[in-house]
Amino acid sequence: MKGLSFGLVALGCATVAALSGRAPARALPSGCEAGIARYDVAVPGHPFAVASSPDGRFVFLSIVSSSPTSANGIGVLSCENDRYRLKRFIRLESQPLGLAMTHDRKLLIVADDGFTVFVSTRAALAGEPAIVGYLQDLPGDVEDNDPGEVNVNVSPDDRFAFVSDEQNLTITVIDLSKARGNRFSRDAIVGQIPVANAPIALTFSRDGRYLFTTSEIARRAYGWPKICRPEGAPQTDPPTNPAGAIITIDVQKAESDPEHSIVSEEPADCSPVRMSMSPDGATLWVSNRASNTVTEFTTEALIARSEHARIATIAVGSNPVPILASRDGRYVLVGETNRFGPGGTGAGVIAVIDATSKKVVGSIPVGTFPREFSYGVGATIFLANYRSNSLTIFDAARIADLVTRALPSLQTKGN
C-alpha cells in the first residue's frame, strides 16, 4: 500500500479548493462536454469504477493491472479542451475495484480486495502523497484474510462506509469518524452484515434509510428452489443453485447492530450483480448475469417484504453486468459482456431498454467486457470497458442518436 506515482501535470487550483472545502475563485463549467455523443479514452490497465468531482473537472478511475508491466492503482483524469485525459496515477497494491467519494469530497474510498483504502482527494490533485490510511477487513492473523472487497458506498450523511466482501458473504460497516480519528485502524469497523454469496451492488434508497444489495447465489437456509446452473456449465447440466437475492438492509440498524439489520431477501434471477435506481426512487433495475435478463423491482415492496416486488423480467444478451437508469427516466442501459458465453473476448454491447414499455429498443457497440457504469456531472455517463482498457464517455441526452439497431426478438416476460 506504500507505492505512489504521480504525473507532472497539476490540475486547476479552483478544483483543489473546492475539494478542500473552500469556494472556488470563479464559477466552473459543469461537466466535460465534448460536443459529440460519445468518445473513448485509453487507460493503462483494466478500468473498473469512476468517481467524479462535483464540477466535473476531473474523475478518479480504479485500474487493475492488465500485464506484468502495468500497475494497480487510481488514475486521475482531468478535463482539458472538453475531453477527459489521464494526468496522474496513484499506485496501489492488491486489486482496486469499487470507488466512493464522501459527500464532503475530501476522501476517496477504495475497495481493494483485502483492504479498504482511503485517499485524500486534495493531496491527489496537488500531486502529493495521497494515501492517508487503509484497514484490513479481516484481522491480519486470520489465515485466509482476503474477503474480496469489490464495492463500496457511503451513507448520505458521510458517517459510515459500507463495503461488499464478495468472498466473505458479508458487507462490512465502517465508522468514518472513528476511522479518521484513529488513523484508520480496525477499531473503526462496526461489524459485518451477513448477506449471501458474492454480494456486490450497494444502492441507497432516496431517503437514505435503506441499503439494497445483490448476492449472486442465495443462502441454502432461505429454502429457495434450485433453478440456476453454475455459470459456464453446459445447458444440459441440471441446476444446482438457487436464484440470487436482492437484500434490503435497515441503514440505521446496520450502523449499530449490523448482524441484525436485514429487512428482507427477495429472489432475483441467476447471478444478480449490479443494480440502478430509477430517478424517482420507486424502482430498482437489476442485471442477472447468468440468466441473461434484467429484472425490475419496486423499492416499497422490497422494504415491505411483499411477494409482489418484481414488476418485470426483460431478456437481454449474453451475461449482462453494468446497468444504469437514465436520469430522465426514459431508458435503462445494460452492458452485455459475453463473459461466460460465446464471444467472451469480443466487443461488448449496450442494450437500450425503454423504461416504460420494458422492451429492448436497440443497442450501442462498446468495448470488450463493459463492467461498470457511473454518472458524472449533468448528462455525462462513464462506462469502464474492462478488457479493452478504455473508458467510454457518453452524452446521456443523445442516447437515441447512438442506438444502432433494434432488437425486436427480445421481449418482456410479464410477472
Side-chain angles (χ1 to χ4, degrees):
M1 291 297 165
K2 296 178 181 178
L4 293 174
S5 176
F6 296 100
L8 298 177
V9 180
L11 298 182
C13 60
T15 301
V16 177
L19 285 174
S20 64
R22 303 193 306 273
R26 58 186 178 85
L28 294 172
S30 61
C32 189
E33 308 300 334
I36 57 174
R38 64 166 286 184
Y39 65 95
D40 297 276
V41 177
V43 296
H46 297 319
F48 189 91
V50 173
S52 175
S53 68
D55 56 25
R57 296 300 299 270
F58 75 94
V59 296
F60 291 114
L61 175 67
S62 56
I63 298 175
V64 178
S65 172
S66 59
S67 72
T69 60
S70 66
N72 297 302
I74 304 299
V76 181
L77 289 80
S78 67
C79 179
E80 295 182 1
N81 299 319
D82 298 325
R83 296 283 184 108
Y84 285 106
R85 292 173 171 81
L86 184 67
K87 288 298 179 183
R88 187 168 296 123
F89 192 82
I90 305 169
R91 299 174 71 93
L92 294 178
E93 296 175 11
S94 201
Q95 181 174 256
L97 296 173
L99 299 178
M101 197 182 297
T102 54
H103 298 84
D104 64 11
R105 309 297 176 177
K106 293 181 180 180
L107 275 182
L108 180 73
I109 305 175
V110 186
D112 193 22
D113 204 16
F115 300 87
T116 305
V117 182
F118 300 87
V119 176
S120 164
T121 55
R122 184 208 61 79
L125 295 180
E128 301 169 0
I131 299 175
V132 294
Y134 63 90
L135 56 84
Q136 280 185 289
D137 213 0
L138 298 176
D141 57 356
V142 174
E143 184 175 354
D144 184 8
N145 65 350
D146 181 2
E149 291 191 12
V150 66
N151 203 5
V152 59
N153 208 345
V154 178
S155 61
D157 59 10
D158 266 356
R159 295 178 58 217
F160 293 86
F162 293 79
V163 185
S164 299
D165 305 319
E166 188 175 16
Q167 306 302 322
N168 206 40
L169 287 69
T170 59
I171 295 171
T172 295
V173 183
I174 301 171
D175 185 322
L176 291 178
S177 178
K178 281 188 176 180
R180 285 169 161 137
N182 63 14
R183 298 186 179 181
F184 303 96
S185 77
R186 295 195 70 258
D187 292 340
I189 296 177
V190 178
Q192 278 82 28
I193 303 168
V195 286
N197 295 271
I200 299 178
L202 295 168
T203 302
F204 286 97
S205 62
R206 286 289 179 250
D207 60 10
R209 294 178 58 190
Y210 298 95
L211 178 68
F212 303 98
T213 188
T214 55
S215 284
E216 292 185 31
I217 304 172
R219 289 182 182 267
R220 305 288 179 181
Y222 296 172
W224 296 351
K226 296 177 181 178
I227 63 171
C228 301
R229 300 177 184 85
E231 290 183 280
Q235 292 296 309
T236 54
D237 284 6
T240 58
N241 297 324
I246 306 304
I247 299 175
T248 305
I249 297 160
D250 183 314
V251 172
Q252 186 175 9
K253 187 75 169 176
E255 293 170 351
S256 59
D257 184 14
E259 189 175 350
H260 301 99
S261 62
I262 292 177
V263 173
S264 68
E265 302 97 358
E266 178 74 16
D269 284 351
C270 301
S271 297
V273 287
R274 301 289 192 278
M275 60 173 56
S276 182
M277 188 170 289
S278 63
D280 61 4
T283 64
L284 277 174
W285 296 87
V286 179
S287 60
N288 303 284
R289 192 177 61 205
S291 291
N292 301 335
T293 61
V294 167
T295 43
E296 183 187 15
F297 297 87
T298 64
T299 53
E300 183 178 1
L302 289 171
I303 293 166
R305 302 181 65 94
S306 170
E307 295 180 357
H308 305 289
R310 185 185 295 213
I311 301 171
T313 303
I314 304 165
V316 292
S318 176
N319 308 133
V321 175
I323 190 164
L324 186 74
S326 66
R327 282 175 171 161
D328 61 8
R330 294 181 61 192
Y331 300 112
V332 176
L333 310 179
V334 59
E336 302 172 0
T337 69
N338 296 314
R339 186 176 183 185
F340 298 101
T345 59
V349 170
I350 300 303
V352 181
I353 299 170
D354 183 294
T356 301
S357 69
K358 324 289 188 198
K359 293 183 178 181
V360 176
V361 295
S363 66
I364 303 170
V366 290
T368 308
F369 193 0
R371 197 164 189 183
E372 199 80 11
F373 275 119
S374 178
Y375 254 114
V377 173
T380 301
I381 294 174
F382 300 102
L383 172 65
N385 300 296
Y386 191 79
R387 290 182 183 153
S388 289
N389 296 355
S390 66
L391 183 67
T392 299
I393 294 94
F394 295 104
D395 179 351
R398 299 177 64 180
I399 291 298
D401 297 338
L402 293 168
V403 175
T404 58
R405 59 188 173 92
L407 301 173
S409 62
L410 300 181
Q411 301 296 324
T412 302
K413 301 174 184 177
N415 281 288

